[in-house]
Amino acid sequence: MVGGGVIQQILRRKLHSQSLATPVLSWFASKKVNEDAGSSGVRALALLGAGVTGLFSFSTVASADEAEHGLACPDYPWPHDGILSSYDHASIRRGHQVYQQVCASCHSMSLISYRDLVGVAYTEEEAKAMAAEIEVVDGPNDEGEMFTRPGKLSDRLPQPYANESAARFANGGAYPPDLSLITKARHNGQNYVFALLTGYRDPPAGISIREGLHYNPYFPGGAIAMPKMLNDEAVEYEDGVPATEAQMGKDVVSFLSWAAEPEMEERKLMGFKWIFLLSLALLQAAYYRRLKWSVLKSRKLVLDVVN
Amino acid sequence: MAEEEVVDPKKYLEESCKPKCVKPLLEYQACVKRIQGDDSGHKHCTGQYFDYWSCIDKCVSSFDFPFSVHFVIFLYVMILR
């Protein structure tokens, strides 16, 4: 309160005086005279000044973060977006084909088994046949030796590299991440992965990317180790759908979304059912509470004053 | 084999969105011209580039209806006509 009054005095003096020197002098004089009372006002002014300069410096730093965070990806209208919308299972099947033919040479999906695909993208026979194409190390046998056998439904999808070090060594130091949970592991995962896969463009003027890396505006920092993998007609779909870059991107993201959230359809059904039922229960509970409390809420208290 | 002219829907939409995003494109081109003579390596047009591409992206994502086989066939038919 007192500090505010001092500031008002200072301002009035600044407005009324003619030269630059007098307001400064009078300000110092007033500062000395009202030292105890005025110090809080001066402190407030100093804090305000510090805050403003801080804000200015912060804004110049923020503008350098653009490429660091990557270009924000737009929200695409996924068919499985609605409150009661299921996955497009034909798309999941095509997406698995894209994964197998384009991505599996570098990216593992070690949390998905062949049996998970049954009833989602393939029939049991198809999945068994696919599993049988791979060789799996099993054992030890009765002689204590490890042996290889054809895959079964219970086996996980095969890994391209034995471990992370091998993966890094084969990819110039960069580790192609496991894709089992990638759409949940990245902010706005589904849209991000689609934008990334279909977003390889020429870098802006003034940006040069070193040998071995590629420019992608959506990737944080802009320089990604993965080259553009989705090109028109890279895959020939079993169902005859034309395999454009956007089509393959959409299908592979549907597949990855399913892989990360296989329970989505059941979850939506359960959620819809229980939210509906609990809303009814809420109405019932509210009515019952008000019914029981009405006795107390409608009572009248009489203060009997002794005369 | 019928002649298949497969058009990538995303690229097609990006092309058709270009007229809506002329302003950021001109800003980007102006920036390119400005930094042409620079050899220090510190000047770049990432800001204008991002503004342009986020305009295109917004336009593309608002325009596309659930992109599916039907949309691709629709485009396919449209191109052939």
Side-chain angles (χ1 to χ4, degrees):
Chain A
M1 283 288 277
V2 186
V6 170
I7 293 174
Q8 272 190 5
Q9 257 186 26
I10 296 167
L11 286 172
R12 219 176 293 130
R13 272 196 200 138
K14 281 196 171 169
L15 283 171
H16 287 317
S17 61
Q18 297 286 324
S19 63
L20 281 169
T22 34
V24 177
L25 283 173
S26 60
W27 183 77
F28 274 117
S30 67
K31 189 190 171 195
K32 264 194 177 172
V33 167
N34 312 346
E35 200 151 38
D36 289 318
S39 57
S40 60
V42 173
R43 216 178 292 144
L45 205 67
L47 277 172
L48 188 70
V52 169
T53 46
L55 204 69
F56 277 131
S57 58
F58 185 68
S59 66
T60 52
V61 167
S63 62
D65 280 344
E66 236 171 1
E68 238 179 65
H69 291 141
L71 180 59
C73 54
D75 289 323
Y76 294 100
W78 296 98
H80 54 259
D81 267 347
I83 194 169
L84 283 178
S85 303
S86 71
Y87 285 121
D88 177 354
H89 287 261
S91 187
I92 296 180
R93 189 184 168 110
R94 290 193 297 271
H96 174 257
Q97 194 186 340
V98 173
Y99 164 74
Q100 221 177 17
Q101 294 179 18
V102 177
C103 322
S105 51
C106 298
H107 288 278
S108 59
M109 278 190 84
S110 53
L111 299 178
I112 311 293
S113 307
Y114 283 99
R115 59 181 163 79
D116 297 328
L117 293 165
V118 175
V120 171
Y122 297 97
T123 63
E124 192 176 325
E125 296 78 36
E126 286 171 334
K128 269 195 185 145
M130 255 189 342
E133 284 170 19
I134 62 158
E135 287 280 306
V136 173
V137 174
D138 202 356
N141 60 13
D142 294 338
E143 294 169 19
E145 286 170 358
M146 303 300 281
F147 58 92
T148 56
R149 56 159 177 81
K152 293 187 286 197
L153 283 179
S154 56
D155 292 320
R156 297 277 168 91
L157 260 51
Q159 298 195 7
Y161 303 107
N163 49 55
E164 188 182 324
S165 304
R168 283 188 187 278
F169 180 63
N171 290 287
Y175 173 58
D178 185 284
L179 299 179
S180 317
L181 294 167
I182 199 77
T183 54
K184 283 202 291 196
R186 298 288 180 272
H187 172 71
N188 199 8
Q190 295 174 17
N191 294 311
Y192 169 72
V193 174
F194 180 80
L196 188 84
L197 291 174
T198 57
Y200 281 87
R201 302 188 184 119
D202 291 328
I207 298 283
S208 58
I209 308 290
R210 72 160 171 87
E211 192 68 40
L213 295 180
H214 309 85
Y215 183 75
N216 191 307
Y218 302 97
F219 189 71
I224 189 172
M226 176 173 74
K228 180 172 154 115
M229 295 301 290
L230 297 182
N231 297 296
D232 288 339
E233 312 283 338
V235 164
E236 205 184 301
Y237 281 134
E238 283 175 352
D239 51 5
V241 169
T244 58
E245 186 186 331
Q247 181 70 49
M248 289 192 287
K250 181 237 178 184
D251 292 333
V252 85
V253 175
S254 295
F255 171 66
L256 293 174
S257 305
W258 165 78
E261 292 174 284
E263 79 288 353
M264 183 270 269
E265 290 156 339
E266 196 188 335
R267 184 187 77 217
K268 281 184 182 173
L269 286 171
M270 221 189 290
F272 190 82
K273 171 185 170 189
W274 284 105
I275 289 177
F276 172 68
L277 290 177
L278 289 173
S279 319
L280 294 180
L282 179 70
L283 291 172
Q284 182 273 334
Y287 176 79
Y288 190 70
R289 182 260 183 206
R290 289 181 68 79
L291 181 67
K292 291 298 168 187
W293 274 78
S294 61
V295 178
L296 292 174
K297 287 204 167 182
S298 55
R299 68 183 166 173
K300 291 198 174 20
L301 298 169
V302 177
L303 282 171
D304 205 351
V305 178
V306 176
N307 287 326
Chain B
M1 265 297 199
E3 256 192 53
E4 275 187 31
E5 214 205 286
V6 184
V7 174
D8 181 44
K10 187 163 186 250
K11 286 206 182 64
Y12 174 78
L13 286 171
E14 282 175 358
E15 281 297 313
S16 58
C17 277
K18 268 201 179 137
K20 289 204 185 121
C21 294
V22 178
K23 192 162 164 289
L25 181 63
L26 292 175
E27 293 283 329
Y28 176 65
Q29 286 168 348
C31 172
V32 173
K33 217 180 253 173
R34 270 201 307 276
I35 69 163
Q36 230 160 29
D38 172 62
D39 283 323
S40 71
H42 291 308
K43 297 190 184 170
H44 59 87
C45 295
T46 305
Q48 290 85 348
Y49 182 88
F50 273 26
D51 290 338
Y52 170 65
W53 280 109
S54 74
C55 172
I56 297 269
D57 280 343
K58 252 193 210 94
C59 169
V60 168
S61 64
S62 66
F63 176 69
D64 23 37
F65 17 98
F67 43 91
S68 63
V69 181
H70 309 287
F71 181 52
V72 175
I73 292 175
F74 156 74
L75 270 186
Y76 182 20
V77 169
M78 242 177 63
I79 307 295
L80 285 181
R81 228 178 252 168

